[in-house]
Structures are given as structure tokens and as C-alpha cells.
Amino acid sequence: MFRIAICEDNRDFSLELESIIQRKFFHYNIKCHIGCFYSGEDILDNMLNYKEKYDIIFFDIELPGLSGIETARKIRKLDESIIFIFITYLNEKVYEALDLTIFHFIRKSHFHKEVDLILDSLIKKLEYLTQKYSFPIGDNNIYLKLYDIIYFEVLDRRVIIHTTDNTHISNYRSLKDMPYNLTEKNFYEIYRGIMINLNHIKDLIDDKIILSNDDTLYIARRRFNDFKKEFYRYISSKREG
């Protein structure tokens, strides 16, 4: 079951969004539990003092008191895996939240047009999050969620798999040995033998990439322009309804 929170000070809007989410998840036969909060302070208190955990949080950016972005920054320090979706009248505000690795944002001015499309994208994301892939490690296979993989790195003719909580040395000798089309799963080979998960880019400074685990990698000069196009396409896919 996926645990979802809505942090929105307009109670009528919050209830409408809750109803839409419930119908969508029911349509896909996915179980969920939804909690509604009306300020950033409320949801933080719930998570800090009652130790509640959520898989997905919908934030109104313009909350009274602690803003949605400020609240999300505090929550991100508690849990790096939560999916954030922002709701706003002020489209430009969402750019202040890119460091939070947001999934999408919904414009209130286009709410009914966008929410259904974004929830469909969210369902696909959840299917992606739960799907596991097999990798040969020593004499055994281990199963990893692709989303948990930050990047692949070839060292000494072995593909090293860097995940959110561990590092694995696989039996694969090159990226081409892996039987998965990772470019279709938001991975990009920034340098020969280094393929990163675009979901885990924390910052991009010139040709330097800082990943969610704070590892710093560099983009090959000849791949830089193509990478920028691919990365901005990926970012745009999060902004457009």
C-alpha cells in the first residue's frame, strides 16, 4: 500500500484532490492511504513526533507560515525517497524547488486538465519504483530496484553498481553486457563506462554533476551538448502537463 499526504490549506481543494487520487488508484487496482494536512507545520509534526512515513506528498507551494518548498526541504532531510508533487498558481515558483528532485507540478489554473495526466504518470512511476531487476553478483543474482540505482561505473573490467544504500560489484564486464535498455529508464552514459540515473541528479554545474549520494562526476566534452538536451528534456517532462 502506498501512503500519500496532501499538504494544502484550502480544505475544499484538498478534499477534491483526495477524491481524484482515490478514484485513480482504485482504477489501477492500487491500494493507498491518504492523509490531509493544512500547513507545513502540521505535516512536519506528524512525521517528526508520530513517526509517520509517506511515499508521495502533494504540496501547495503557497502555504501559510512555512511554505511548501521550505516544508519539503525539511522533509527531504528526513527521507530522500519521497515523491514530491507541487501545486501552485505561481508557475515560476517551482524552479525554486528543483534541488528537491520533484516529480511534477500541477498548475491550479489548469488543474482539471493536468491532474489526470500527472496521476497517470505517477502510476507509471510507482510501477517503475517497485519493479526489480536481476544482476549477477559472484555466484548469485541479486534483485535491485532500478530507481534505487544512482549510477553504474566500470572499474577493472567489472560493472560497479552504486545504489542508495550500498555498492555492488557485478559480474558484468561492460555496460553493454547488461541485458536492459537503460536509456529508456532515464539513464545516460555521461562518460565511457559511467552511466547515471537522471532521477538522482542533485545539481548540475557546467560539466560537473552532483548526485543524490553527493558523488561528483564529470560529463565527457563530446557528450556535453547531447547530455544537456537529454537532461532538459527530462526536466521538462516533469514540468509539462
Side-chain angles (χ1 to χ4, degrees):
M1 176 184 290
F2 289 100
R3 296 183 57 80
I4 301 171
I6 298 171
C7 193
E8 160 67 62
D9 64 311
N10 184 320
R11 291 174 183 261
D12 290 338
F13 183 86
S14 180
L15 290 173
E16 180 182 9
L17 178 57
E18 180 184 10
S19 177
I20 291 170
I21 294 169
Q22 286 175 336
R23 288 198 303 269
K24 179 65 71 174
F25 274 62
F26 179 80
H27 174 75
Y28 281 96
N29 196 30
I30 299 174
K31 293 181 179 180
C32 70
H33 176 272
I34 304 175
C36 294
F37 303 89
Y38 305 107
S39 72
E41 290 83 354
D42 283 346
I43 192 170
L44 278 171
D45 178 67
N46 178 262
M47 296 183 70
L48 288 170
N49 295 326
Y50 294 94
K51 307 301 180 184
E52 293 288 349
K53 293 183 178 294
Y54 297 97
D55 303 295
I56 305 145
I57 302 177
F58 290 79
F59 283 107
D60 182 0
I61 286 182
E62 297 299 307
L63 290 169
L66 204 62
S67 75
I69 292 175
E70 292 171 324
T71 305
R73 286 208 171 99
K74 291 179 181 294
I75 291 174
R76 182 60 84 209
K77 292 178 181 178
L78 302 174
D79 191 334
E80 294 185 354
S81 66
I82 299 175
I83 296 172
F84 289 158
I85 298 174
F86 285 95
I87 308 164
T88 182
Y89 279 119
L90 305 173
N91 297 348
E92 67 277 4
K93 280 284 186 179
V94 77
Y95 296 101
E96 298 176 16
L98 290 182
D99 63 304
L100 293 167
T101 319
I102 66 171
F103 174 69
H104 237 305
F105 80 93
I106 301 171
R107 297 172 292 178
K108 284 189 176 179
S109 57
H110 295 75
F111 176 73
H112 291 287
K113 177 182 177 182
E114 295 185 350
V115 66
D116 196 58
L117 294 172
I118 290 171
L119 287 177
D120 282 334
S121 295
L122 176 62
I123 296 297
K124 291 180 182 177
K125 173 84 165 183
L126 297 179
E127 291 172 346
Y128 169 56
L129 287 177
T130 55
Q131 187 176 9
K132 293 186 177 182
Y133 289 73
S134 173
F135 295 92
I137 308 292
D139 296 329
N140 301 304
N141 281 348
I142 64 169
Y143 291 85
L144 300 173
K145 294 178 183 177
L146 206 60
Y147 184 77
D148 289 340
I149 298 172
I150 301 172
Y151 68 103
F152 297 95
E153 179 183 25
V154 179
L155 287 175
D156 299 326
R157 295 180 62 78
R158 284 288 185 271
V159 175
I160 313 299
I161 307 170
H162 299 267
T163 72
T164 53
D165 58 6
N166 212 334
T167 299
H168 305 277
I169 301 175
S170 78
N171 297 345
Y172 293 128
R173 293 181 176 273
S174 74
L175 297 177
K176 292 179 180 179
D177 289 344
M178 293 189 293
Y180 309 120
N181 187 347
L182 296 175
T183 58
E184 293 182 351
K185 302 293 184 179
N186 294 324
F187 281 78
Y188 189 95
E189 190 172 1
I190 60 169
Y191 208 93
R192 184 177 180 182
I194 297 179
M195 179 175 279
I196 67 168
N197 187 339
L198 299 181
N199 289 290
H200 284 283
I201 293 179
K202 183 176 177 181
D203 204 355
L204 175 62
I205 305 170
D206 298 324
D207 64 341
K208 182 169 66 175
I209 294 171
I210 301 171
L211 296 169
S212 60
N213 64 348
D214 290 326
D215 282 3
T216 298
L217 302 175
Y218 290 85
I219 309 163
R221 183 176 300 177
R222 65 185 180 83
R223 302 184 186 188
F224 185 69
N225 289 333
D226 183 66
F227 169 78
K228 281 202 305 182
K229 290 178 183 177
E230 183 64 20
F231 181 60
Y232 290 126
R233 179 205 61 75
Y234 165 76
I235 290 294
S236 295
S237 72
K238 294 178 174 291
R239 300 174 186 162
E240 297 171 358

